[in-house]
Amino acid sequence: MQIYNRRYESRLMVGTAQYPSPIVLQNALRAAEPALVTVSLRREAAADKAGAAFWSLINELGFDVLPNTAGCYSVKEAVTTAQMAREVFGTNLIKLEVIADAQTLQPDVYGLVEAAEILCRDGFEVLPYTTEDLSVCERLVQCGCSVLMPWGAPIGSGLGLNNRHGLQALRNRFPDLTLIVDAGLGVPSHASAAMELGYDGVLLNTAIARAADPAAMASAFALAVKAGRLAFEAGAIEPRNLAQASTPVLGRAFT
């Protein structure tokens, strides 16, 4: 998986919120073996160095961190949070979130484009959490984003891929761009379905963190991502409305 100038063997990205304990989090990450792990940095966390402490915890496992601007409802707040995250974690990578609605956590696509333009000019490597709207994604690419992260469904909903046709259209429009389905995946089959569409990776959090056995669920998602990618590369058969016999008619007995 290509993320700007970095290449990763894994196509799975995992969030780090909502886990019942640091030990459970660490066990889940070991099981998932993700390319990147996301962490939300708030102003108060940066002030008391909690962000740096979290970096140390993740760094013990050897995973790269992807800071995000989760919980930001304005362009100014998202840009400021990204700038603080760069100082704390020492990376130009940023998962950009600008939220429009507190209930659905749908991206504010207008603010998202504005913030992406500011951050790209400032040298950030932006991974925007967006909808699958083609016009919005075109604007994000024009801003300088070479990675897009369209949602599958609202964050934490577990609904899976709400708009498979829209996601497929986005994949077709940007065949060479890194596309990662972010949010709403509930079970491993959802992740596999995203990979079968030709997506480069998936990012999830709640489905693992809230599982009865997070480490086992992390393993399941890791396997599903690999299976889905392998299926895409193998080339699936085209759906048909009628049956097609697998047994040849030649040699069949007739009366």
Side-chain angles (χ1 to χ4, degrees), residues 85-136:
R86 180 162 61 181
E87 292 183 13
V88 171
F89 295 108
T91 178
N92 285 325
L93 286 175
I94 191 72
K95 179 192 169 188
L96 178 62
E97 296 184 30
V98 183
I99 302 301
D101 180 74
Q103 291 188 333
T104 64
L105 300 181
Q106 178 171 326
D108 172 1
V109 294
Y110 303 103
L112 182 68
V113 170
E114 183 180 347
E117 187 173 13
I118 294 170
L119 292 174
C120 286
R121 285 202 310 263
D122 195 25
F124 281 89
E125 296 169 323
V126 179
L127 291 77
Y129 162 64
T130 182
T131 67
E132 68 279 13
D133 185 278
L134 291 175
S135 61
V136 173

mmCIF file of all heavy atoms in Angstrom, residues 85-136:
data_model
loop_
_atom_site.group_PDB
_atom_site.id
_atom_site.type_symbol
_atom_site.label_atom_id
_atom_site.label_comp_id
_atom_site.label_asym_id
_atom_site.label_seq_id
_atom_site.Cartn_x
_atom_site.Cartn_y
_atom_site.Cartn_z
ATOM 1 N N ALA A 85 -0.045 18.212 16.254
ATOM 2 C CA ALA A 85 0.266 16.792 16.101
ATOM 3 C C ALA A 85 1.619 16.600 15.422
ATOM 4 O O ALA A 85 2.384 15.691 15.775
ATOM 5 C CB ALA A 85 -0.831 16.105 15.300
ATOM 6 N N ARG A 86 1.914 17.440 14.461
ATOM 7 C CA ARG A 86 3.207 17.332 13.782
ATOM 8 C C ARG A 86 4.356 17.576 14.752
ATOM 9 O O ARG A 86 5.389 16.884 14.703
ATOM 10 C CB ARG A 86 3.286 18.318 12.613
ATOM 11 C CG ARG A 86 4.611 18.265 11.870
ATOM 12 C CD ARG A 86 4.551 18.900 10.502
ATOM 13 N NE ARG A 86 4.206 20.317 10.537
ATOM 14 C CZ ARG A 86 4.086 21.076 9.435
ATOM 15 N NH1 ARG A 86 4.257 20.523 8.237
ATOM 16 N NH2 ARG A 86 3.764 22.356 9.529
ATOM 17 N N GLU A 87 4.179 18.511 15.670
ATOM 18 C CA GLU A 87 5.218 18.786 16.654
ATOM 19 C C GLU A 87 5.377 17.633 17.635
ATOM 20 O O GLU A 87 6.493 17.263 18.008
ATOM 21 C CB GLU A 87 4.884 20.072 17.416
ATOM 22 C CG GLU A 87 4.956 21.334 16.562
ATOM 23 C CD GLU A 87 4.686 22.581 17.382
ATOM 24 O OE1 GLU A 87 4.689 22.491 18.626
ATOM 25 O OE2 GLU A 87 4.462 23.643 16.779
ATOM 26 N N VAL A 88 4.278 17.056 18.086
ATOM 27 C CA VAL A 88 4.326 15.991 19.088
ATOM 28 C C VAL A 88 4.855 14.687 18.504
ATOM 29 O O VAL A 88 5.715 14.023 19.092
ATOM 30 C CB VAL A 88 2.933 15.763 19.725
ATOM 31 C CG1 VAL A 88 2.928 14.513 20.603
ATOM 32 C CG2 VAL A 88 2.526 16.984 20.545
ATOM 33 N N PHE A 89 4.353 14.308 17.313
ATOM 34 C CA PHE A 89 4.668 12.995 16.768
ATOM 35 C C PHE A 89 5.751 13.005 15.703
ATOM 36 O O PHE A 89 6.190 11.944 15.264
ATOM 37 C CB PHE A 89 3.397 12.356 16.195
ATOM 38 C CG PHE A 89 2.362 12.072 17.251
ATOM 39 C CD1 PHE A 89 1.211 12.836 17.317
ATOM 40 C CD2 PHE A 89 2.542 11.071 18.185
ATOM 41 C CE1 PHE A 89 0.253 12.590 18.284
ATOM 42 C CE2 PHE A 89 1.596 10.819 19.159
ATOM 43 C CZ PHE A 89 0.450 11.577 19.218
ATOM 44 N N GLY A 90 6.168 14.186 15.271
ATOM 45 C CA GLY A 90 7.269 14.276 14.327
ATOM 46 C C GLY A 90 6.988 13.671 12.967
ATOM 47 O O GLY A 90 7.848 13.028 12.373
ATOM 48 N N THR A 91 5.763 13.856 12.453
ATOM 49 C CA THR A 91 5.400 13.343 11.140
ATOM 50 C C THR A 91 4.547 14.352 10.395
ATOM 51 O O THR A 91 3.762 15.086 11.013
ATOM 52 C CB THR A 91 4.635 12.004 11.259
ATOM 53 O OG1 THR A 91 4.260 11.556 9.940
ATOM 54 C CG2 THR A 91 3.388 12.144 12.110
ATOM 55 N N ASN A 92 4.710 14.380 9.080
ATOM 56 C CA ASN A 92 3.879 15.246 8.248
ATOM 57 C C ASN A 92 2.571 14.575 7.861
ATOM 58 O O ASN A 92 1.703 15.227 7.283
ATOM 59 C CB ASN A 92 4.640 15.642 6.971
ATOM 60 C CG ASN A 92 5.717 16.681 7.240
ATOM 61 O OD1 ASN A 92 5.562 17.549 8.088
ATOM 62 N ND2 ASN A 92 6.814 16.577 6.516
ATOM 63 N N LEU A 93 2.433 13.297 8.128
ATOM 64 C CA LEU A 93 1.181 12.606 7.837
ATOM 65 C C LEU A 93 0.070 13.103 8.758
ATOM 66 O O LEU A 93 0.289 13.270 9.960
ATOM 67 C CB LEU A 93 1.339 11.096 8.033
ATOM 68 C CG LEU A 93 2.121 10.320 6.978
ATOM 69 C CD1 LEU A 93 2.262 8.864 7.429
ATOM 70 C CD2 LEU A 93 1.433 10.391 5.621
ATOM 71 N N ILE A 94 -1.100 13.313 8.205
ATOM 72 C CA ILE A 94 -2.245 13.701 9.029
ATOM 73 C C ILE A 94 -3.524 13.163 8.399
ATOM 74 O O ILE A 94 -3.749 13.304 7.196
ATOM 75 C CB ILE A 94 -2.339 15.241 9.195
ATOM 76 C CG1 ILE A 94 -3.372 15.615 10.263
ATOM 77 C CG2 ILE A 94 -2.624 15.928 7.885
ATOM 78 C CD1 ILE A 94 -2.955 15.311 11.673
ATOM 79 N N LYS A 95 -4.318 12.492 9.219
ATOM 80 C CA LYS A 95 -5.665 12.126 8.788
ATOM 81 C C LYS A 95 -6.554 13.318 9.121
ATOM 82 O O LYS A 95 -6.750 13.647 10.290
ATOM 83 C CB LYS A 95 -6.158 10.876 9.499
ATOM 84 C CG LYS A 95 -7.574 10.492 9.087
ATOM 85 C CD LYS A 95 -8.180 9.440 10.001
ATOM 86 C CE LYS A 95 -9.667 9.298 9.701
ATOM 87 N NZ LYS A 95 -10.364 8.432 10.666
ATOM 88 N N LEU A 96 -7.077 13.943 8.095
ATOM 89 C CA LEU A 96 -7.823 15.186 8.267
ATOM 90 C C LEU A 96 -9.313 14.915 8.398
ATOM 91 O O LEU A 96 -9.931 14.353 7.486
ATOM 92 C CB LEU A 96 -7.559 16.119 7.088
ATOM 93 C CG LEU A 96 -8.313 17.447 7.095
ATOM 94 C CD1 LEU A 96 -7.935 18.283 8.307
ATOM 95 C CD2 LEU A 96 -8.049 18.210 5.796
ATOM 96 N N GLU A 97 -9.878 15.311 9.522
ATOM 97 C CA GLU A 97 -11.316 15.247 9.746
ATOM 98 C C GLU A 97 -11.830 16.652 10.076
ATOM 99 O O GLU A 97 -11.286 17.322 10.944
ATOM 100 C CB GLU A 97 -11.663 14.310 10.911
ATOM 101 C CG GLU A 97 -11.294 12.858 10.691
ATOM 102 C CD GLU A 97 -11.740 11.965 11.838
ATOM 103 O OE1 GLU A 97 -12.765 12.291 12.483
ATOM 104 O OE2 GLU A 97 -11.065 10.955 12.098
ATOM 105 N N VAL A 98 -12.859 17.061 9.369
ATOM 106 C CA VAL A 98 -13.623 18.253 9.712
ATOM 107 C C VAL A 98 -15.082 17.808 9.719
ATOM 108 O O VAL A 98 -15.639 17.483 8.677
ATOM 109 C CB VAL A 98 -13.412 19.408 8.714
ATOM 110 C CG1 VAL A 98 -14.179 20.646 9.181
ATOM 111 C CG2 VAL A 98 -11.935 19.724 8.544
ATOM 112 N N ILE A 99 -15.680 17.769 10.913
ATOM 113 C CA ILE A 99 -16.993 17.153 11.086
ATOM 114 C C ILE A 99 -18.101 18.194 10.913
ATOM 115 O O ILE A 99 -18.012 19.315 11.399
ATOM 116 C CB ILE A 99 -17.095 16.490 12.469
ATOM 117 C CG1 ILE A 99 -15.989 15.432 12.619
ATOM 118 C CG2 ILE A 99 -18.461 15.862 12.675
ATOM 119 C CD1 ILE A 99 -16.037 14.332 11.584
ATOM 120 N N ALA A 100 -19.174 17.770 10.220
ATOM 121 C CA ALA A 100 -20.305 18.671 9.973
ATOM 122 C C ALA A 100 -21.455 18.454 10.939
ATOM 123 O O ALA A 100 -22.165 19.401 11.296
ATOM 124 C CB ALA A 100 -20.809 18.490 8.546
ATOM 125 N N ASP A 101 -21.662 17.210 11.369
ATOM 126 C CA ASP A 101 -22.848 16.869 12.155
ATOM 127 C C ASP A 101 -22.457 15.967 13.311
ATOM 128 O O ASP A 101 -21.775 14.953 13.125
ATOM 129 C CB ASP A 101 -23.875 16.160 11.265
ATOM 130 C CG ASP A 101 -25.130 15.771 12.024
ATOM 131 O OD1 ASP A 101 -25.935 16.672 12.333
ATOM 132 O OD2 ASP A 101 -25.292 14.577 12.319
ATOM 133 N N ALA A 102 -22.910 16.320 14.522
ATOM 134 C CA ALA A 102 -22.502 15.591 15.717
ATOM 135 C C ALA A 102 -23.124 14.201 15.819
ATOM 136 O O ALA A 102 -22.576 13.320 16.487
ATOM 137 C CB ALA A 102 -22.856 16.395 16.972
ATOM 138 N N GLN A 103 -24.250 13.975 15.172
ATOM 139 C CA GLN A 103 -24.916 12.675 15.265
ATOM 140 C C GLN A 103 -24.404 11.680 14.234
ATOM 141 O O GLN A 103 -24.167 10.521 14.546
ATOM 142 C CB GLN A 103 -26.429 12.856 15.134
ATOM 143 C CG GLN A 103 -27.053 13.573 16.324
ATOM 144 C CD GLN A 103 -28.574 13.572 16.264
ATOM 145 O OE1 GLN A 103 -29.166 13.507 15.196
ATOM 146 N NE2 GLN A 103 -29.207 13.648 17.424
ATOM 147 N N THR A 104 -24.236 12.122 13.010
ATOM 148 C CA THR A 104 -23.766 11.211 11.956
ATOM 149 C C THR A 104 -22.248 11.259 11.786
ATOM 150 O O THR A 104 -21.670 10.351 11.178
ATOM 151 C CB THR A 104 -24.390 11.566 10.607
ATOM 152 O OG1 THR A 104 -23.943 12.879 10.205
ATOM 153 C CG2 THR A 104 -25.913 11.556 10.699
ATOM 154 N N LEU A 105 -21.601 12.307 12.338
ATOM 155 C CA LEU A 105 -20.165 12.533 12.152
ATOM 156 C C LEU A 105 -19.795 12.592 10.668
ATOM 157 O O LEU A 105 -18.695 12.234 10.279
ATOM 158 C CB LEU A 105 -19.342 11.457 12.872
ATOM 159 C CG LEU A 105 -19.557 11.372 14.391
ATOM 160 C CD1 LEU A 105 -18.681 10.289 15.002
ATOM 161 C CD2 LEU A 105 -19.275 12.719 15.056
ATOM 162 N N GLN A 106 -20.737 13.047 9.866
ATOM 163 C CA GLN A 106 -20.472 13.215 8.441
ATOM 164 C C GLN A 106 -19.453 14.327 8.233
ATOM 165 O O GLN A 106 -19.472 15.347 8.918
ATOM 166 C CB GLN A 106 -21.752 13.555 7.694
ATOM 167 C CG GLN A 106 -21.539 13.799 6.200
ATOM 168 C CD GLN A 106 -22.848 13.913 5.444
ATOM 169 O OE1 GLN A 106 -23.811 13.258 5.794
ATOM 170 N NE2 GLN A 106 -22.868 14.736 4.399
ATOM 171 N N PRO A 107 -18.547 14.142 7.277
ATOM 172 C CA PRO A 107 -17.560 15.197 7.016
ATOM 173 C C PRO A 107 -18.211 16.483 6.507
ATOM 174 O O PRO A 107 -19.185 16.442 5.757
ATOM 175 C CB PRO A 107 -16.678 14.573 5.924
ATOM 176 C CG PRO A 107 -16.906 13.112 6.009
ATOM 177 C CD PRO A 107 -18.314 12.934 6.473
ATOM 178 N N ASP A 108 -17.664 17.598 6.944
ATOM 179 C CA ASP A 108 -18.010 18.902 6.381
ATOM 180 C C ASP A 108 -17.153 19.057 5.135
ATOM 181 O O ASP A 108 -15.979 19.434 5.214
ATOM 182 C CB ASP A 108 -17.707 19.999 7.403
ATOM 183 C CG ASP A 108 -17.854 21.406 6.830
ATOM 184 O OD1 ASP A 108 -18.218 21.540 5.636
ATOM 185 O OD2 ASP A 108 -17.591 22.365 7.567
ATOM 186 N N VAL A 109 -17.703 18.753 3.982
ATOM 187 C CA VAL A 109 -16.887 18.676 2.776
ATOM 188 C C VAL A 109 -16.342 20.042 2.355
ATOM 189 O O VAL A 109 -15.266 20.137 1.761
ATOM 190 C CB VAL A 109 -17.679 18.020 1.626
ATOM 191 C CG1 VAL A 109 -17.969 16.556 1.954
ATOM 192 C CG2 VAL A 109 -18.969 18.772 1.328
ATOM 193 N N TYR A 110 -17.062 21.110 2.659
ATOM 194 C CA TYR A 110 -16.571 22.445 2.326
ATOM 195 C C TYR A 110 -15.368 22.804 3.195
ATOM 196 O O TYR A 110 -14.339 23.260 2.692
ATOM 197 C CB TYR A 110 -17.680 23.485 2.507
ATOM 198 C CG TYR A 110 -18.913 23.191 1.684
ATOM 199 C CD1 TYR A 110 -20.058 22.657 2.279
ATOM 200 C CD2 TYR A 110 -18.938 23.435 0.322
ATOM 201 C CE1 TYR A 110 -21.195 22.384 1.532
ATOM 202 C CE2 TYR A 110 -20.072 23.160 -0.439
ATOM 203 C CZ TYR A 110 -21.198 22.630 0.178
ATOM 204 O OH TYR A 110 -22.313 22.347 -0.563
ATOM 205 N N GLY A 111 -15.521 22.583 4.508
ATOM 206 C CA GLY A 111 -14.406 22.842 5.409
ATOM 207 C C GLY A 111 -13.245 21.905 5.170
ATOM 208 O O GLY A 111 -12.075 22.277 5.327
ATOM 209 N N LEU A 112 -13.546 20.688 4.789
ATOM 210 C CA LEU A 112 -12.505 19.696 4.521
ATOM 211 C C LEU A 112 -11.600 20.142 3.379
ATOM 212 O O LEU A 112 -10.361 20.083 3.490
ATOM 213 C CB LEU A 112 -13.158 18.351 4.186
ATOM 214 C CG LEU A 112 -12.219 17.173 3.916
ATOM 215 C CD1 LEU A 112 -11.489 16.772 5.183
ATOM 216 C CD2 LEU A 112 -13.000 15.990 3.351
ATOM 217 N N VAL A 113 -12.193 20.601 2.297
ATOM 218 C CA VAL A 113 -11.404 21.059 1.156
ATOM 219 C C VAL A 113 -10.562 22.268 1.539
ATOM 220 O O VAL A 113 -9.377 22.360 1.192
ATOM 221 C CB VAL A 113 -12.322 21.388 -0.040
ATOM 222 C CG1 VAL A 113 -11.535 22.099 -1.141
ATOM 223 C CG2 VAL A 113 -12.969 20.121 -0.576
ATOM 224 N N GLU A 114 -11.154 23.201 2.285
ATOM 225 C CA GLU A 114 -10.411 24.396 2.704
ATOM 226 C C GLU A 114 -9.235 24.031 3.596
ATOM 227 O O GLU A 114 -8.115 24.524 3.407
ATOM 228 C CB GLU A 114 -11.355 25.354 3.435
ATOM 229 C CG GLU A 114 -10.689 26.659 3.841
ATOM 230 C CD GLU A 114 -11.637 27.601 4.573
ATOM 231 O OE1 GLU A 114 -12.861 27.340 4.544
ATOM 232 O OE2 GLU A 114 -11.154 28.576 5.183
ATOM 233 N N ALA A 115 -9.473 23.151 4.573
ATOM 234 C CA ALA A 115 -8.403 22.745 5.483
ATOM 235 C C ALA A 115 -7.325 21.959 4.746
ATOM 236 O O ALA A 115 -6.124 22.121 5.011
ATOM 237 C CB ALA A 115 -8.982 21.908 6.624
ATOM 238 N N ALA A 116 -7.732 21.090 3.820
ATOM 239 C CA ALA A 116 -6.762 20.305 3.056
ATOM 240 C C ALA A 116 -5.845 21.209 2.243
ATOM 241 O O ALA A 116 -4.625 20.977 2.168
ATOM 242 C CB ALA A 116 -7.493 19.329 2.134
ATOM 243 N N GLU A 117 -6.406 22.247 1.660
ATOM 244 C CA GLU A 117 -5.605 23.177 0.868
ATOM 245 C C GLU A 117 -4.567 23.882 1.739
ATOM 246 O O GLU A 117 -3.394 24.013 1.351
ATOM 247 C CB GLU A 117 -6.512 24.201 0.189
ATOM 248 C CG GLU A 117 -5.809 25.102 -0.788
ATOM 249 C CD GLU A 117 -6.770 25.980 -1.563
ATOM 250 O OE1 GLU A 117 -7.960 26.058 -1.172
ATOM 251 O OE2 GLU A 117 -6.335 26.581 -2.556
ATOM 252 N N ILE A 118 -4.978 24.298 2.923
ATOM 253 C CA ILE A 118 -4.054 24.976 3.846
ATOM 254 C C ILE A 118 -2.935 24.033 4.271
ATOM 255 O O ILE A 118 -1.747 24.386 4.261
ATOM 256 C CB ILE A 118 -4.816 25.490 5.083
ATOM 257 C CG1 ILE A 118 -5.796 26.593 4.692
ATOM 258 C CG2 ILE A 118 -3.845 25.988 6.154
ATOM 259 C CD1 ILE A 118 -6.761 26.981 5.803
ATOM 260 N N LEU A 119 -3.292 22.813 4.649
ATOM 261 C CA LEU A 119 -2.299 21.865 5.166
ATOM 262 C C LEU A 119 -1.359 21.372 4.077
ATOM 263 O O LEU A 119 -0.165 21.186 4.323
ATOM 264 C CB LEU A 119 -3.006 20.691 5.841
ATOM 265 C CG LEU A 119 -3.756 21.040 7.137
ATOM 266 C CD1 LEU A 119 -4.533 19.830 7.645
ATOM 267 C CD2 LEU A 119 -2.788 21.533 8.215
ATOM 268 N N CYS A 120 -1.877 21.151 2.874
ATOM 269 C CA CYS A 120 -1.003 20.725 1.773
ATOM 270 C C CYS A 120 0.026 21.808 1.460
ATOM 271 O O CYS A 120 1.205 21.503 1.207
ATOM 272 C CB CYS A 120 -1.832 20.384 0.540
ATOM 273 S SG CYS A 120 -2.741 18.822 0.645
ATOM 274 N N ARG A 121 -0.390 23.050 1.495
ATOM 275 C CA ARG A 121 0.553 24.160 1.268
ATOM 276 C C ARG A 121 1.600 24.222 2.362
ATOM 277 O O ARG A 121 2.729 24.665 2.125
ATOM 278 C CB ARG A 121 -0.199 25.501 1.203
ATOM 279 C CG ARG A 121 -0.968 25.742 -0.084
ATOM 280 C CD ARG A 121 -1.201 27.240 -0.295
ATOM 281 N NE ARG A 121 -1.755 27.881 0.883
ATOM 282 C CZ ARG A 121 -3.048 28.124 1.088
ATOM 283 N NH1 ARG A 121 -3.927 27.771 0.153
ATOM 284 N NH2 ARG A 121 -3.473 28.710 2.175
ATOM 285 N N ASP A 122 1.239 23.750 3.554
ATOM 286 C CA ASP A 122 2.141 23.793 4.709
ATOM 287 C C ASP A 122 3.027 22.554 4.799
ATOM 288 O O ASP A 122 3.727 22.364 5.787
ATOM 289 C CB ASP A 122 1.309 23.934 5.996
ATOM 290 C CG ASP A 122 2.147 24.336 7.194
ATOM 291 O OD1 ASP A 122 3.224 24.952 7.004
ATOM 292 O OD2 ASP A 122 1.739 24.033 8.332
ATOM 293 N N GLY A 123 3.006 21.731 3.784
ATOM 294 C CA GLY A 123 3.905 20.582 3.756
ATOM 295 C C GLY A 123 3.363 19.301 4.364
ATOM 296 O O GLY A 123 4.103 18.314 4.488
ATOM 297 N N PHE A 124 2.089 19.291 4.748
ATOM 298 C CA PHE A 124 1.494 18.072 5.302
ATOM 299 C C PHE A 124 1.182 17.078 4.184
ATOM 300 O O PHE A 124 0.931 17.461 3.032
ATOM 301 C CB PHE A 124 0.202 18.396 6.050
ATOM 302 C CG PHE A 124 0.410 18.956 7.427
ATOM 303 C CD1 PHE A 124 0.545 20.327 7.612
ATOM 304 C CD2 PHE A 124 0.461 18.119 8.529
ATOM 305 C CE1 PHE A 124 0.731 20.849 8.883
ATOM 306 C CE2 PHE A 124 0.639 18.635 9.800
ATOM 307 C CZ PHE A 124 0.774 20.008 9.983
ATOM 308 N N GLU A 125 1.194 15.813 4.541
ATOM 309 C CA GLU A 125 0.742 14.736 3.657
ATOM 310 C C GLU A 125 -0.634 14.333 4.174
ATOM 311 O O GLU A 125 -0.767 13.621 5.164
ATOM 312 C CB GLU A 125 1.731 13.580 3.682
ATOM 313 C CG GLU A 125 3.100 13.984 3.129
ATOM 314 C CD GLU A 125 4.170 12.956 3.386
ATOM 315 O OE1 GLU A 125 4.164 12.328 4.480
ATOM 316 O OE2 GLU A 125 5.025 12.759 2.505
ATOM 317 N N VAL A 126 -1.661 14.829 3.498
ATOM 318 C CA VAL A 126 -3.019 14.803 4.035
ATOM 319 C C VAL A 126 -3.783 13.571 3.548
ATOM 320 O O VAL A 126 -3.819 13.268 2.353
ATOM 321 C CB VAL A 126 -3.773 16.088 3.627
ATOM 322 C CG1 VAL A 126 -5.208 16.059 4.159
ATOM 323 C CG2 VAL A 126 -3.025 17.315 4.133
ATOM 324 N N LEU A 127 -4.417 12.882 4.502
ATOM 325 C CA LEU A 127 -5.326 11.780 4.225
ATOM 326 C C LEU A 127 -6.715 12.233 4.677
ATOM 327 O O LEU A 127 -7.059 12.124 5.849
ATOM 328 C CB LEU A 127 -4.921 10.504 4.966
ATOM 329 C CG LEU A 127 -3.636 9.793 4.522
ATOM 330 C CD1 LEU A 127 -2.399 10.514 5.031
ATOM 331 C CD2 LEU A 127 -3.628 8.351 5.040
ATOM 332 N N PRO A 128 -7.531 12.758 3.781
ATOM 333 C CA PRO A 128 -8.804 13.345 4.184
ATOM 334 C C PRO A 128 -9.914 12.306 4.337
ATOM 335 O O PRO A 128 -10.137 11.467 3.454
ATOM 336 C CB PRO A 128 -9.125 14.310 3.042
ATOM 337 C CG PRO A 128 -8.454 13.704 1.853
ATOM 338 C CD PRO A 128 -7.244 12.996 2.359
ATOM 339 N N TYR A 129 -10.609 12.372 5.465
ATOM 340 C CA TYR A 129 -11.808 11.570 5.700
ATOM 341 C C TYR A 129 -12.962 12.285 5.015
ATOM 342 O O TYR A 129 -13.346 13.382 5.399
ATOM 343 C CB TYR A 129 -12.047 11.445 7.204
ATOM 344 C CG TYR A 129 -13.444 11.025 7.609
ATOM 345 C CD1 TYR A 129 -13.953 9.782 7.254
ATOM 346 C CD2 TYR A 129 -14.248 11.887 8.366
ATOM 347 C CE1 TYR A 129 -15.236 9.406 7.639
ATOM 348 C CE2 TYR A 129 -15.524 11.511 8.755
ATOM 349 C CZ TYR A 129 -16.011 10.276 8.391
ATOM 350 O OH TYR A 129 -17.284 9.907 8.767
ATOM 351 N N THR A 130 -13.507 11.660 3.982
ATOM 352 C CA THR A 130 -14.464 12.335 3.119
ATOM 353 C C THR A 130 -15.647 11.434 2.804
ATOM 354 O O THR A 130 -15.687 10.275 3.228
ATOM 355 C CB THR A 130 -13.771 12.777 1.805
ATOM 356 O OG1 THR A 130 -14.695 13.471 0.982
ATOM 357 C CG2 THR A 130 -13.213 11.584 1.046
ATOM 358 N N THR A 131 -16.593 11.968 2.084
ATOM 359 C CA THR A 131 -17.655 11.154 1.515
ATOM 360 C C THR A 131 -17.162 10.604 0.177
ATOM 361 O O THR A 131 -16.061 10.934 -0.277
ATOM 362 C CB THR A 131 -18.940 11.965 1.296
ATOM 363 O OG1 THR A 131 -18.696 12.937 0.270
ATOM 364 C CG2 THR A 131 -19.376 12.657 2.578
ATOM 365 N N GLU A 132 -18.000 9.801 -0.495
ATOM 366 C CA GLU A 132 -17.625 9.245 -1.788
ATOM 367 C C GLU A 132 -18.025 10.157 -2.943
ATOM 368 O O GLU A 132 -17.960 9.757 -4.113
ATOM 369 C CB GLU A 132 -18.249 7.857 -1.980
ATOM 370 C CG GLU A 132 -19.754 7.823 -2.130
ATOM 371 C CD GLU A 132 -20.508 7.887 -0.818
ATOM 372 O OE1 GLU A 132 -19.893 8.213 0.229
ATOM 373 O OE2 GLU A 132 -21.727 7.627 -0.837
ATOM 374 N N ASP A 133 -18.408 11.406 -2.642
ATOM 375 C CA ASP A 133 -18.824 12.359 -3.672
ATOM 376 C C ASP A 133 -17.658 12.658 -4.618
ATOM 377 O O ASP A 133 -16.594 13.097 -4.193
ATOM 378 C CB ASP A 133 -19.303 13.648 -3.005
ATOM 379 C CG ASP A 133 -19.853 14.645 -4.003
ATOM 380 O OD1 ASP A 133 -19.043 15.367 -4.618
ATOM 381 O OD2 ASP A 133 -21.081 14.689 -4.164
ATOM 382 N N LEU A 134 -17.881 12.441 -5.917
ATOM 383 C CA LEU A 134 -16.807 12.589 -6.893
ATOM 384 C C LEU A 134 -16.300 14.024 -6.999
ATOM 385 O O LEU A 134 -15.103 14.260 -7.136
ATOM 386 C CB LEU A 134 -17.278 12.103 -8.267
ATOM 387 C CG LEU A 134 -17.507 10.600 -8.407
ATOM 388 C CD1 LEU A 134 -18.091 10.284 -9.784
ATOM 389 C CD2 LEU A 134 -16.229 9.824 -8.195
ATOM 390 N N SER A 135 -17.200 14.993 -6.951
ATOM 391 C CA SER A 135 -16.771 16.384 -7.100
ATOM 392 C C SER A 135 -15.921 16.828 -5.915
ATOM 393 O O SER A 135 -14.930 17.555 -6.082
ATOM 394 C CB SER A 135 -17.987 17.299 -7.258
ATOM 395 O OG SER A 135 -18.837 17.234 -6.125
ATOM 396 N N VAL A 136 -16.301 16.412 -4.709
ATOM 397 C CA VAL A 136 -15.501 16.737 -3.523
ATOM 398 C C VAL A 136 -14.119 16.102 -3.629
ATOM 399 O O VAL A 136 -13.092 16.742 -3.351
ATOM 400 C CB VAL A 136 -16.218 16.260 -2.243
ATOM 401 C CG1 VAL A 136 -15.314 16.444 -1.031
ATOM 402 C CG2 VAL A 136 -17.521 17.017 -2.052
#
